[in-house]
């Protein structure tokens, strides 16, 4: 059963997995933005971006954040359901429950961006109708294992790790020491770019990574390795699309974002200089600005009255 209370909600997916959801903004806002997070992170990874956007939008744009299955406060699920295809269906459940009417934009970071690509293929009828904009942040449409730290996905040790977790999930799920040993190098090497980053950013990213079960961590590795939505990507051409990456991203290097933009000539490609894979934490203001621009492109224009409050005026003929 789905329920909502004081901004926090639970959405039950098609296979009965309960997902933790958080929303902010007016329930009757003319626009909703749904955010999806990356592998081994949680909805809180978006909260710095949220703070910047709230200062821009007030309550006039509704924002919805949720934890993927096996992540954050959401329920764990059968390991064979830990696929990006299933995450696309989970996003569909979130949209059906949290945004049953009205227009919406979806924005995803890393595996969250891949989730959106899967969702779009599964719901092509939404594009240009209710789904009016897409933001893809530090992600890839295919070939993540071909270069950079993503190439580690193709290493035999990773296959061995996945096999061990599948055989003994209960034992592995209690191994927080192993989880920290795997996550710490990811944070150090892939998380941030060449600028000096605040200890708070590193601590927040590390906390989310370290709290993710080893079973969840391993469960999605195969799907990440095999992910390929390059053939369905051109469907996004009918809506405004923003593609953003950090110039120093070692997990999904900028060439992946460039490849997505090449498939979508009208897409807006944003490169955040000196930022790494955790660009949504590292450079939250820049990411928020790019998202605000994306929403403006959908045909909702922001204006401020004499009190400084932001209002949104729908211009549907522009959006369509």
């Amino acid at each position: 059963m789905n329920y909502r209370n004081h901004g926090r909600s639970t959405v039950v997916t098609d296979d009965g997995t309960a997902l933790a959801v958080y929303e902010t903004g007016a329930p009757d806002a003319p626009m909703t933005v749904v955010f999806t997070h990356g592998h081994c992170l949680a909805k809180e990874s978006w909260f710095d971006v949220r703070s910047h956007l709230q200062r821009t939008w007030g309550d006039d744009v509704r924002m919805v954040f949720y934890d993927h299955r096996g992540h954050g406060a959401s329920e764990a699920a059968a390991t064979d359901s830990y696929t990006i295809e299933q995450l696309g269906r989970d996003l569909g459940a979130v949209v059906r429950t949290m945004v049953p009417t009205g227009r919406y934009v979806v924005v995803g970071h890393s595996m969250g961006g891949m989730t959106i690509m899967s969702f779009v293929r599964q719901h092509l009828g939404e594009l240009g109708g209710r789904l009016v904009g897409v933001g893809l942040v530090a992600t890839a449409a295919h070939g993540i294992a071909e270069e950079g730290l993503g190439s580690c996905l193709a290493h035999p040790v990773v296959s061995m790790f996945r096999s061990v977790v599948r055989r003994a999930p209960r034992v592995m799920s209690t191994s927080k020491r192993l989880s920290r040993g795997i996550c710490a190098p990811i944070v150090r090497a892939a998380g941030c770019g060449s600028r000096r980053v605040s200890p708070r950013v590193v601590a927040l990213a590390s906390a989310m990574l370290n709290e993710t079960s080893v079973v969840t961590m391993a469960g999605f590795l195969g799907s990440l390795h095999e992910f390929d939505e390059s053939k369905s990507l051109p469907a996004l051409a009918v809506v405004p699309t923003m593609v953003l990456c950090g110039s120093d991203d070692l997990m999904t290097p900028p060439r992946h974002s460039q490849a997505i933009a090449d498939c979508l000539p009208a897409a807006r490609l944003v490169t955040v200089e000196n930022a790494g894979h955790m660009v949504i934490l590292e450079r939250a203001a820049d990411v928020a600005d790019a998202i605000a621009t994306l929403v403006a492109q959908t045909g909702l224009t922001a204006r401020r009255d004499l009190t400084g409050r932001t209002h949104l005026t729908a211009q549907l003929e522009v959006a369509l």
Side-chain angles (χ1 to χ4, degrees), residues 12-296:
V12 179
T13 66
D14 56 2
D15 67 352
T17 302
L19 304 181
V21 182
Y22 178 80
E23 62 180 312
T24 186
D28 59 350
M31 172 66 76
T32 299
V33 183
V34 181
F35 294 82
T36 64
H37 66 78
H39 183 228
C40 295
L41 296 175
K43 59 184 176 295
E44 287 79 8
S45 63
W46 285 109
F47 283 8
D48 284 355
V49 172
R50 178 201 64 182
S51 296
H52 287 284
L53 288 173
Q54 282 181 314
R55 286 194 284 272
T56 299
W57 292 333
D59 288 335
D60 296 312
V61 173
R62 184 164 161 257
M63 291 184 276
V64 173
F65 309 84
Y66 72 98
D67 292 326
H68 291 305
R69 58 180 56 216
H71 292 76
S74 290
E75 283 186 347
T79 54
D80 61 3
S81 75
Y82 286 169
T83 66
I84 296 171
E85 183 75 9
Q86 178 61 54
L87 294 186
R89 292 193 286 270
D90 291 352
L91 175 53
V94 171
V95 169
R96 285 193 305 272
T97 304
M98 304 300 297
V99 200
T101 60
R103 296 189 167 201
Y104 67 96
V105 167
V106 287
V107 180
H109 170 246
S110 193
M111 189 174 74
M114 298 175 184
T115 297
I116 287 171
M117 293 179 228
S118 178
F119 166 79
V120 165
R121 174 176 45 75
Q122 297 169 19
H123 299 83
L124 290 175
E126 294 273 284
L127 278 169
R130 293 212 308 126
L131 176 54
V132 295
V134 171
L136 302 172
V137 179
T139 192
H142 68 98
I144 192 174
E146 293 176 2
E147 66 172 305
L149 286 178
S151 63
C152 295
L153 293 173
H155 197 284
V157 171
V158 173
S159 296
M160 185 183 304
F161 172 57
R162 291 170 52 208
S163 178
V164 169
V165 172
R166 282 197 302 269
R167 291 175 185 176
R170 292 184 180 179
V171 173
M172 295 299 288
S173 66
T174 63
S175 180
K176 287 295 183 182
R177 180 177 299 177
L178 176 59
S179 176
R180 285 192 292 270
I182 294 171
C183 292
I186 295 175
V187 174
R188 287 195 298 267
C192 303
S194 57
R195 290 199 336 170
R196 187 175 184 275
V197 178
S198 75
R200 175 187 167 278
V201 167
V202 176
L204 182 58
S206 299
M208 285 182 282
L209 286 160
N210 289 339
E211 287 303 312
T212 304
S213 157
V214 173
V215 175
T216 296
M217 186 190 310
F220 284 102
L221 294 180
S223 191
L224 287 167
H225 184 195
E226 298 161 5
F227 181 78
D228 188 347
E229 287 286 355
S230 54
K231 291 183 179 178
S232 60
L233 196 60
L236 291 176
V238 301
V239 297
T241 301
M242 179 271 291
V243 184
L244 183 146
C245 64
S247 65
D248 296 355
D249 189 338
L250 299 180
M251 185 62 71
T252 51
R255 79 158 188 87
H256 288 293
S257 293
Q258 184 64 60
I260 294 172
D262 288 345
C263 289
L264 302 165
R268 179 169 177 253
L269 178 61
V270 179
T271 302
V272 181
E273 293 299 327
N274 306 315
H277 192 63
M278 298 293 186
V279 61
I280 62 174
L281 290 172
E282 188 183 355
R283 303 285 287 279
D286 294 324
V287 176
D289 285 346
I291 294 170
T293 299
L294 170 66
V295 169

Side-chain angles (χ1 to χ4, degrees), residues 56-57 60 300-306 308-313:
T56 299
W57 292 333
D60 296 312
L300 290 174
T301 57
R303 63 179 177 81
R304 290 184 180 272
D305 63 20
L306 295 178
R309 180 174 173 77
T310 300
H311 297 270
L312 295 177
T313 303

